C-alpha cells in the first residue's frame, strides 16, 4: 500500500519511528493482526485499543495509528525498530481518510448496495457473479457502516478490479457519508421498505436516505433498481442517471432483466429463467451484446425474494460485461454470509431453517413463504421480535401473524412481548389457539419446540427468525444439539 511517511501525510499525523516501513491492510483487534498491517488503536465500548499497541507490534503490525489524547495519558510508548507510530486526533477519521485515498488509488470499479431487505445476500450474489470475470473484494458479513466499510476498502489488495460494498443506513446523511469514502460507480437499491421507521419517521424519509446512494453516483454512473418496488420507481422518475430495472412481474416498471418460471429444485434451491428485455439496450452502454438473452439459473436459495436479489446481481453483471451464462455459473456456486437461511438438522428428523441475522415484516413474510413451500403440511414457525419499525411496530408484527394463518403454518411459537402481536394477528385471522404458543423468553420457546417436534412428522420443517438483538441463534443451537 504505502510507506509510513505517506500514511502520516495522508492522515496529517505525527510520525514516530521508521518513516519508510511499508504497510498494507488494516486491523482493529490486536489478536488478529497479520504481518505488515496497520493497527488502528480505536476506543470501543468495553476496550481501548491503545492498551494493545505493543501486542499488535509483536503480532506483526508495521504501523500503529493511535489518538493523541489517549497516548498522552499513559506511559511513553516505545516504538520497536522497523515499526512506526502515527498520532492523530481521531483513529476512526484517519481510517476513513486512508480508505478514501486507497479507493482512488486502486482505480477499481465500485458497486455499492443498500436497501431495506436483502442487501447482504445481494452483496454476496454480486460478488459471485462478478468473480467469474474479475478479481473482486467485498464486505465481510455485513461490515457496512462508518467503521466496517473503510476497513473493507483498506483490506482490498492492489490487484482488486471490483469493490463490492454493502452500505447500511440508520439516518439521513449516513449513506452520503459512506459514498464520499467509496465513490461508487454503480448503485443497487434492493427495495425501500419500512425498516428504520423508528429512526426516520416516514417512508418518504427512508426513501430519501436510501436514494443518497444514487445521488452520489457520477453522471456516467448506473442505478440498478427493483421494478417491483414502488418507492424505487418513484424516486427514479426524478433522477437523470442511467437506470437498469430488474423484476418478475414488472408491477411498477418494465424490467430490463426479468425472472420467469420459478420452480423449486433440490433441498433449498430455486430454478428460474432470466430473460433480457427487448427494449432499447442502448441504456446499457457498458455492456457488450449478451451471448444469450435467456438463461436457466439454478440458485441454491429458495423464494421469490432471493430470485429478485439474484436478478439484481445479474443486472450488475450485464453492466460490467459479465454474460448471463457466466453470472449463472457464479450464482450456482455462491456462498452466503452466516446466519442467513442456514439449513440445520433438528430433533425428530426435522429440518431447521435458521434465518436469524435480522428481520422485518417483508423478510419475515418471505421466509414464511419458503417454510410453507418446503415443509408443506408439517411446519413450525418460531418467530421473535422485529425492531426499528417505529409507529408501524404493532401493525408489522400483526401482519406477520396474519401471513402465518393465511399460509396454514402448522404451529406458531412467538418469543418476546412484541411478538405477541404476531400471535394475535394469527389468532384473529383464523389460526387455532391450540396451535399458537407465546413465550417471553427463548427458553420457553425451546422447550415448547422440543415438545412439538417429538409429536410431529419426521419431515417437519422449522423456521427460526427474528431481529438480530433477539439472539435467536441460541434457539437454533439448542435444537441443533438435540
Amino acid at each position: 500500500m504505502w510507506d509510513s511517511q505517506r500514511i502520516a501525510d495522508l492522515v496529517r499525523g505525527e510520525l514516530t519511528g521508521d518513516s519508510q516501513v511499508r504497510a498494507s491492510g488494516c486491523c482493529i483487534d490486536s489478536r488478529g493482526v497479520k504481518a505488515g498491517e496497520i493497527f488502528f488503536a480505536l476506543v470501543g465500548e468495553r476496550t481501548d485499543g491503545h492498551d494493545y499497541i505493543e501486542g499488535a507490534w509483536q503480532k506483526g503490525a508495521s504501523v500503529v495509528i493511535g489518538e493523541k489524547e489517549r497516548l498522552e495519558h499513559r506511559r511513553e510508548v516505545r516504538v520497536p525498530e522497523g515499526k512506526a507510530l502515527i498520532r492523530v486526533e481521531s483513529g476512526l477519521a484517519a481510517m476513513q481518510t486512508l480508505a478514501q485515498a486507497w479507493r482512488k488509488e486502486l482505480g477499481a470499479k465500485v458497486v455499492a448496495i443498500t436497501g431495506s431487505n436483502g442487501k447482504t445476500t445481494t452483496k454476496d450474489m454480486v460478488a459471485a457473479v462478478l468473480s467469474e470475470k474479475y478479481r473482486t473484494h467485498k464486505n465481510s458479513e455485513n461490515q457496512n457502516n462508518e467503521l466496517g466499510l473503510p476497513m473493507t476498502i483498506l483490506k482490498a489488495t492492489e490487484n482488486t478490479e471490483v469493490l463490492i460494498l454493502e452500505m447500511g443506513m440508520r439516518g439521513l446523511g449516513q449513506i452520503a457519508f459512506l459514498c464520499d469514502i467509496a465513490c461508487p460507480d454503480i448503485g443497487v437499491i434492493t427495495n425501500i421498505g419500512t425498516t428504520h421507521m423508528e429512526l426516520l419517521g416516514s417512508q418518504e424519509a427512508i426513501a430519501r436516505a436510501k436514494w443518497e446512494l444514487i445521488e452520489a453516483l457520477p453522471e456516467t454512473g448506473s442505478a440498478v433498481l427493483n421494478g417491483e418496488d414502488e418507492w424505487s420507481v418513484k424516486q427514479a422518475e426524478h433522477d437523470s442517471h442511467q437506470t437498469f430495472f430488474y423484476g418478475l412481474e414488472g408491477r411498477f416498471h418494465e424490467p430490463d432483466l426479468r425472472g420467469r418460471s420459478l420452480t423449486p429444485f433440490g433441498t433449498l434451491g430455486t430454478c428460474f429463467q432470466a430473460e433480457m428485455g427487448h427494449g432499447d439496450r442502448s441504456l446499457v452502454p457498458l455492456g457488450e451484446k449478451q451471448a444469450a438473452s435467456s438463461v436457466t439459473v439454478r440458485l441454491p436459495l429458495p423464494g421469490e425474494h432471493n430470485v429478485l436479489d439474484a436478478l439484481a446481481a445479474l443486472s450488475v453483471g450485464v453492466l460490467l460485461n459479465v454474460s448471463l451464462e457466466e453470472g449463472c455459473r457464479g450464482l450456482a456456486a455462491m456462498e452466503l454470509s452466516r446466519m442467513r437461511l442456514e439449513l440445520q438438522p433438528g430433533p425428530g428428523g426435522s429440518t431447521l431453517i435458521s434465518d436469524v441475522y435480522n428481520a422485518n415484516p417483508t423478510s419475515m413474510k418471505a421466509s414464511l413463504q419458503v417454510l410453507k413451500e418446503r415443509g408443506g403440511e408439517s411446519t413450525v414457525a418460531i418467530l421473535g421480535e422485529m425492531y426499528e419499525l417505529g409507529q408501524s411496530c404493532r401493525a408489522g408484527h400483526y401482519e406477520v401473524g396474519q401471513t402465518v394463518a393465511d399460509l396454514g403454518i402448522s404451529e406458531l411459537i412467538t418469543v418476546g412481548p412484541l411478538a405477541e402481536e404476531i400471535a394475535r394477528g394469527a389468532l384473529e385471522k383464523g389460526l387455532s389457539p391450540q396451535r399458537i404458543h407465546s413465550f417471553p423468553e427463548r427458553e420457553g420457546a425451546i422447550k415448547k419446540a422440543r415438545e412439538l417436534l417429538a409429536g410431529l412428522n419426521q419431515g417437519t420443517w422449522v423456521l427460526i427468525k427474528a431481529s438480530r438483538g433477539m439472539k435467536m441463534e441460541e434457539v437454533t443451537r439448542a435444537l441443533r444439539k438435540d
Side-chain angles (χ1 to χ4, degrees):
M1 190 183 288
W2 301 295
D3 63 32
S4 49
Q5 185 62 61
R6 173 65 172 152
I7 294 170
D9 292 343
L10 285 168
V11 299
R12 299 181 181 180
E14 299 174 7
L15 173 65
T16 305
D18 192 331
S19 64
Q20 295 183 327
V21 61
R22 296 194 66 80
S24 62
C26 71
C27 190
I28 60 172
D29 185 339
S30 62
R31 295 169 297 182
V33 171
K34 296 177 183 177
E37 285 189 327
I38 305 169
F39 174 68
F40 288 88
L42 301 183
V43 181
E45 292 182 4
R46 298 185 180 88
T47 59
D48 184 342
H50 297 82
D51 294 334
Y52 304 98
I53 288 176
E54 287 83 359
W57 274 322
Q58 290 170 7
K59 285 278 189 176
S62 295
V63 175
V64 168
I65 294 181
E67 297 182 356
K68 294 177 183 178
E69 184 177 353
R70 293 280 173 171
L71 291 168
E72 285 174 0
H73 298 293
R74 56 188 67 223
R75 63 181 178 80
E76 183 180 354
V77 178
R78 294 186 178 181
V79 183
E81 185 178 351
K83 308 285 186 177
L85 171 65
I86 300 173
R87 293 174 169 82
V88 297
E89 298 297 330
S90 165
L92 179 58
M95 178 188 291
Q96 292 162 348
T97 297
L98 287 179
Q100 186 181 53
W102 185 234
R103 180 267 180 265
K104 292 176 181 176
E105 193 161 314
L106 273 177
K109 288 286 184 185
V110 175
V111 179
I113 301 159
T114 193
S116 297
N117 306 294
K119 53 185 175 289
T120 301
T121 300
T122 302
K123 175 258 299 181
D124 292 335
M125 290 182 177
V126 170
V129 168
L130 297 184
S131 293
E132 289 295 302
K133 189 167 185 175
Y134 300 103
R135 292 184 291 272
T136 64
H137 181 72
K138 66 176 182 176
N139 315 68
S140 175
E141 297 184 355
N142 75 326
Q143 293 184 357
N144 61 15
N145 59 11
E146 64 278 2
L147 173 61
L149 182 135
M151 283 183 63
T152 299
I153 294 173
L154 288 172
K155 289 180 179 180
T157 58
E158 293 181 359
N159 65 353
T160 300
E161 295 174 304
V162 184
L163 272 169
I164 302 148
L165 301 175
E166 177 185 339
M167 293 184 175
M169 182 276 294
R170 296 186 61 82
L172 287 167
Q174 184 169 21
I175 288 179
F177 178 80
L178 297 177
C179 286
D180 189 50
I181 297 171
C183 303
D185 301 290
I186 295 174
V188 181
I189 297 181
T190 60
N191 48 53
I192 300 173
T194 56
T195 306
H196 304 308
M197 186 73 78
E198 181 178 315
L199 298 168
L200 292 171
S202 71
Q203 188 94 42
E204 290 84 354
I206 294 170
R208 288 201 308 275
K210 298 291 186 189
W211 205 256
E212 290 172 1
L213 169 55
I214 309 305
E215 291 174 337
L217 298 174
E219 289 184 9
T220 56
S222 301
V224 175
L225 304 174
N226 183 353
E228 313 300 329
D229 184 64
E230 183 176 10
W231 280 93
S232 294
V233 174
K234 281 183 178 179
Q235 291 292 115
E237 290 173 356
H238 309 289
D239 192 277
S240 61
H241 288 96
Q242 169 184 286
T243 53
F244 190 101
F245 285 95
Y246 62 90
L248 299 173
E249 301 173 10
R251 291 172 59 205
F252 301 106
H253 196 286
E254 182 66 19
D256 298 300
L257 182 65
R258 183 189 295 270
R260 296 185 188 275
S261 305
L262 280 63
T263 56
F265 92 93
T267 305
L268 205 61
T270 306
C271 183
F272 68 96
Q273 290 296 121
E275 299 179 355
M276 292 294 296
H278 301 292
D280 179 11
R281 302 315 310 144
S282 64
L283 59 73
V284 194
L286 296 179
E288 297 173 344
K289 186 176 180 180
Q290 293 287 312
S293 60
S294 177
V295 296
T296 300
V297 184
R298 289 178 175 82
L299 184 69
L301 290 170
E304 287 188 2
H305 59 301
N306 283 312
V307 171
L308 282 168
D309 293 343
L311 289 168
L314 291 171
S315 298
V316 174
V318 169
L319 289 170
L320 291 177
N321 300 331
V322 177
S323 71
L324 291 179
E325 296 97 324
E326 290 170 321
C328 289
R329 285 201 301 269
L331 289 174
M334 68 167 292
E335 295 183 2
L336 276 181
S337 295
R338 292 187 310 112
M339 295 193 288
R340 287 172 172 80
L341 286 170
E342 291 180 334
L343 282 188
Q344 304 274 2
S350 63
T351 299
L352 311 178
I353 306 175
S354 184
D355 192 12
V356 298
Y357 193 84
N358 221 333
N360 55 51
T362 302
S363 65
M364 276 275 201
K365 293 174 189 177
S367 294
L368 285 166
Q369 290 278 0
V370 171
L371 174 65
K372 182 62 178 178
E373 178 185 277
R374 301 294 160 149
E377 299 304 314
S378 190
T379 52
V380 178
I382 307 176
L383 307 179
E385 297 177 341
M386 299 175 287
Y387 300 148
E388 298 180 351
L389 300 181
Q391 294 180 349
S392 302
C393 182
R394 289 174 64 89
H397 285 84
Y398 186 86
E399 289 169 11
V400 168
Q402 290 182 309
T403 300
V404 170
D406 287 339
L407 291 172
I409 301 301
S410 306
E411 302 282 347
L412 170 65
I413 300 173
T414 68
V415 184
L418 289 176
E420 290 179 8
E421 282 297 304
I422 298 176
R424 188 170 73 88
L427 179 66
E428 294 184 3
K429 198 65 189 291
L431 189 65
S432 168
Q434 284 74 39
R435 296 183 174 188
I436 302 171
H437 322 277
S438 295
F439 299 91
E441 303 291 344
R442 293 186 300 270
E443 289 71 19
I446 293 167
K447 182 179 179 181
K448 187 63 182 181
R450 286 171 170 157
E451 177 187 315
L452 290 173
L453 291 172
L456 291 172
N457 298 333
Q458 275 204 344
T460 298
W461 284 63
V462 183
L463 171 67
I464 305 164
K465 190 167 178 64
S467 281
R468 184 70 189 91
M470 290 294 294
K471 298 184 178 179
M472 293 288 277
E473 65 271 20
E474 297 296 332
V475 177
T476 303
R477 190 173 295 118
L479 297 180
R480 173 72 175 84
K481 184 178 179 181
D482 293 343

